[in-house]
Every structure is written in structure tokens, then in C-alpha cells.
Amino acid sequence: MGKTQNYDHMKLIREYAGGHAKLIGLGRCLAGVSAILTLIPYYELWKIIRIAVNGDDTDKITMYAWISVALIVGALLVYIVALLCTHIAAFRVQANMRSSLMRRIITLPLGVFDEDGTGKIRRIVNDSTAATETYIAHTLADKAVAAVTPIGLIVLVLAFNWKIGLLCMIPAVIGFICMMSMMGKGMQQKMKEYQDALETMSSEATEYVRGIPVVKTFGQTVHSFKRFKACIDSYGKWTTDYTLVLRWPMMGFMTCINAIFAFIVIAAYIITKDGIANADILNVMYYIIITPLVTIALTKLAYSGEAEMNLIDALKRVDKIMEIEPLKESASGKKPADCGITLNNVTYRYKDATRDAVSDVSLTIKPGEHVALVGPSGSGKTTLAELIVRFFDVTSGEIVIGGVNVKDMSSAELMKQVSFVFQDSRLIKKSILDNVRMSKPEASEAEVLEALKKAQCMDIIDKLPEGIHTVIGEKGTYLSGGEQQRITIARAVLKDAPILILDEATAFADPDNETKVQEAFEELSKGKTLIMIAHRLSTVMNADKIFVMDDGRCTEAGSHDELMKAGGLYKRMFDEYTRSVEWKVGA
Ligand code: ADP
């Protein structure tokens, strides 16, 4: 339907169905057969009405009635088998789509899974595959019925009295034209816009719910969530505009398909003008019974066209994930000689961004050195750290660990070398033991406990009902942000990788937690190469080296004393920081 011909959705569906593709064809054929079987009883009905009007052969009424019942039951059974075939194929397609998606997703760079990306991916894996399943299971059978029924109906309508038949066809044809004009140009694009608008609204709604505490605390109104309000407003405007575009064709379609009765009345008036014959009564009664079928068939056709557009939109969204370039895995199996890190002219630009997030950065970190990345917010610290663990691959330049380019290492080898604790490191809904063990599945319970101890987590474990076996998020078990971060540190302790990348916590900075996190970091970084993304300058003074980032570039490097003497950005930031610490309430 509409302008969707260029996209061969059935070919894609058949590919996903594999060996089950034949079931789809069989299901469609059976649905067509069932549609024909459903129409034949109307001929039997015509014969019954003829007997009733003429008054002869009355003994045959029962036989015709039974034939009708048998045909309807037969049609129903065939349709059930058709649905069975399409359902089996649909479930197979959905399962295959989901497993292909998941297989692809695990090869994607970690950077794809930021907060926004995760929501979109989840929606595609769940909703787009479910839309495909519904289309194959139900709509394909309905489409076969909707395609066969009008042909059968034209035969039935024209066979008995072509004049009434032709009159009945007039509104049906106009209704069909109205429907095609609705499906016409731009409908597929509109469907995409509609789905995009829903997607934006859903992610903004999540953001809004997360922000409710802020709104309440500061007594703000809903208008403070401008983006959420703007996307609801634009969705509202889009829907209204689109409804207005469809107003006339939709009114035309609904009026025509429901006005077929009126045309029968006109036809009845014309053919009975010169006196009523039994045949005329028979035909008029017959057409009164059969014409609602035309309405039903056209409505089904209209809805199956819409479902097809939804399906194409869903398939295109799945394609978008399948088209994301996976992280290239190296087969060379090179192992780094030590845990020193060198960055040579590293530049990175996010997809669709207009400027580089990291620009021509070169630096060297010796094995065992503790370094800090500092700089204003948005200067590229996190991006630089993420590039080292291949959240993304550099746009240009190279990152070398122990003499080996990270691109020439297998990702398993890279992960063996590096542990990272970023601010949004997550816990999953499993026991604390399982959560910590994720970094080293073969670890014993005693080893996990030792890691938890080193990560200063024992106060958390002690207050939980089942200790390390407590399942997070169940039975009201709630861990604060800071507590969750300490558990993720325990993960890194257990992994015991020689290189550590730590993102200093600012979000959960209550004094007690902060002290514990700092102690855990200290314990964790003993004897390791450490890169700390520092948001506060109090923690960087003892670092072996400090790299100062400014607008994507590394503009200064050296120890605290050297940088203070140099009197550049670091000194300015440190002076400002000292002033802010000296500020006191009521001072
Ligand atoms: P920092 O950690 O120093 O605060 P970031 O590395 O987070 O800085 O950001 C550096 C720049 O890259 C900023 O301009 C930021 O807006 C941009 N940026 C960060 N993440 C993304 C992303 N996922 N997509 C596009 N731009 C991003």
C-alpha cells in the first residue's frame, strides 16, 4: 500500500523466517481459501431467500442451511490452521530477529550504550520485533482475506442483478479511491514521524520523572521541563495537523462505505418502478444482506495498509541497529609488554558533532604512574578515558598500551588489562555476590568478600538481611548511589587489572561515602597504572602527573607544583577552587 514499494519487507521477513518462510506462504493461501469458503454460504442464502419468496422447493431449505453451516465451520477451521501457520512463523521471525539483534549488539562499541542509546535499543529490541510478530501473525492472514474477498464479492454482487450490483459498487469504488488517497504520498514518512515523536516523548517522560524531586524541592512548575513540554506540544500539533490532512479523505471513505445501503434503496426504487416482481424482492433482500461485507472488506484493507507501514518503520529501525559498525576485533592476539599508555595525536569527534571532543592529544603514562585528568566541564576528560578502553575508536591518531595499539588487541585482552569505574557503572538485579563476581566468574565467595572489604563495603553488607546473598532491588533492598558505586569498585578490586581508570564521584558526595570511596580508590590503585578523571582539585595534588584538558586539547602537563609555577589554566582553576573551599556559610 502507499509508497512503500521500494522497500522489500517480505524479502526481509522471509530471510528472518529461514526454514519457516514456507509457513507464511501456506498461512496466506489458507486464509484466502477460508475467505472463499466464507463467501459461498451467501449463494446458499440467496437460494433460501428465493424459496422463501417463491414458496416452492421448501424441503430444500434445511439442506441449504446445513451446507452453509458446514461451509462456515469449514472456513473457520481453515482460518484457524492459517493463523496457526502464520503464528508459528511469526514467533520464529521474532526470535530470530531478537537473537540477530543481540548478537550484533554485543559486538558494538560500548559508547553506543549511553543512557539515550540504551533506551532506544531496548525499544527496538522489544517493540519493533513485537510489531513484526503481530504483522506476520495477524495482518498477513487478514491481508489475504482482504485481497480475496473483494474479488469474490464482485462476482457475487454482479452475478444476480448487475444493475443493483453496479449501483452498490459506486460508493465502494469512491471509498476505495478515498482510502488510496489517504495511503498516498508521504504516508510512510508520516508513520516514521509519528514513531519518532512517540520515542522522543517516551525518553523525555523518563527524564521528567527522574527530575520530579528537583521540581518539588525547588517549587518549580512543569514548565521548567521545557523540552518535555515542547515535545508534547509538537506531538499535539503534529497529530492535529495530520488529522486535518486526513479529515476529508477519511470522511469520504467512512461516508461511502456506510452509504452502500442508501444506494440499494435507490436501486430498489429504480427496479420496482414499474411493479414489484418476486425476483426483485429476492435480489433487494440479498443485496441488503451481502453489502455489509463490502464495508468490512474495505475497512480491513485500509487497516492492513496502515499495519504494513508500521511494520516497514519497525524493520527500518531494526536495520539501523544492524547497520551500526561493530567494534573491529583483531585476530593478531598481541599482548602488551607492560601497562604503560601512550596517546599519539588522538582526535575524536562524536557522530553528527560539528567539532572534535578530543583534539590532537599526545601524552605518555609510564607503568605504575598515577595520573589525573583535570579541566573544565566538557573539556573532553571522560571521552579521552573512554577512548582508552575503546568505548569508541579514535577518529585519528593511536592509543598504545604496552607497545601494542589497542586496535591490535582482542577486546578480551584489553579488558584483562584495564578496569574502569565510571560514574554510571551499574548493578544488575542479582545478588551482591553475583554482581561483584561479574568481573571474575570463577572467584570464590571468600575472594568476593575480600574484595568487598577492600572496597570499604562491609558496612553495606552488614546491614543487608542476607549479606552478600541479598538480591539488589528485591524486597525493598535499596542501595544509595554512593553504596552502589562502592560495590562497583569491589568488582574492579576483584578483577585486579594492572590499569585502572576511575571517574571521581561527585554525584554521591556525602562526607561519609566520599571518605570511604577515596579509601577504596586508594586500596584499588596500589601498584597499578591509574588514570583518575578528577572533578575536584583536592584529590589531584599528590598525582605523579596532571594532564590539563581544555576544549578537547591537552594544554598543560606536569606535577601540581610545576603547574602552579607555570601559572596557566591549572593555577587559575586551583586558585578558584581554593577560594570556593574557603567560602563559609554566613561568612
Ligand atoms: P568532560 O568529561 O571533560 O566533562 P566530555 O568528555 O564528557 O567532557 O565531553 C567532551 C565534549 O564532547 C563535550 O562538548 C560534550 O558535549 C561532547 N560529548 C560528550 N558525550 C557525547 C555524546 N555521547 N555525543 C555527542 N557529544 C558528546
Side-chain angles (χ1 to χ4, degrees), residues 114 350-351 353 355 357 375-384 533 535:
D114 59 12
Y350 283 99
K351 195 167 157 262
R355 52 208 294 271
S377 176
S379 57
K381 305 181 291 289
T382 311
T383 309
L384 193 67
I533 304 167
H535 300 282

Side-chain angles (χ1 to χ4, degrees), residues 16-20 87-98 133:
Y16 279 119
H20 287 69
H87 272 77
I88 293 172
F91 293 143
R92 175 54 51 199
V93 168
Q94 189 178 24
N96 286 349
M97 268 177 121
R98 285 190 175 170
E133 186 266 314

Side-chain angles (χ1 to χ4, degrees), residues 547-558:
F547 295 104
V548 184
M549 297 291 295
D550 186 17
D551 201 15
R553 292 177 178 276
C554 179
T555 50
E556 294 167 37

Side-chain angles (χ1 to χ4, degrees), residues 37 52 67 79 139 211 240 249 254 268 310 349 355 401 416 557:
L37 290 180
I67 291 174
Y79 194 64
T139 316
T240 314
M254 292 310 285
N310 265 328
R349 181 176 291 197
R355 52 208 294 271
I401 296 181
K416 220 158 83 189

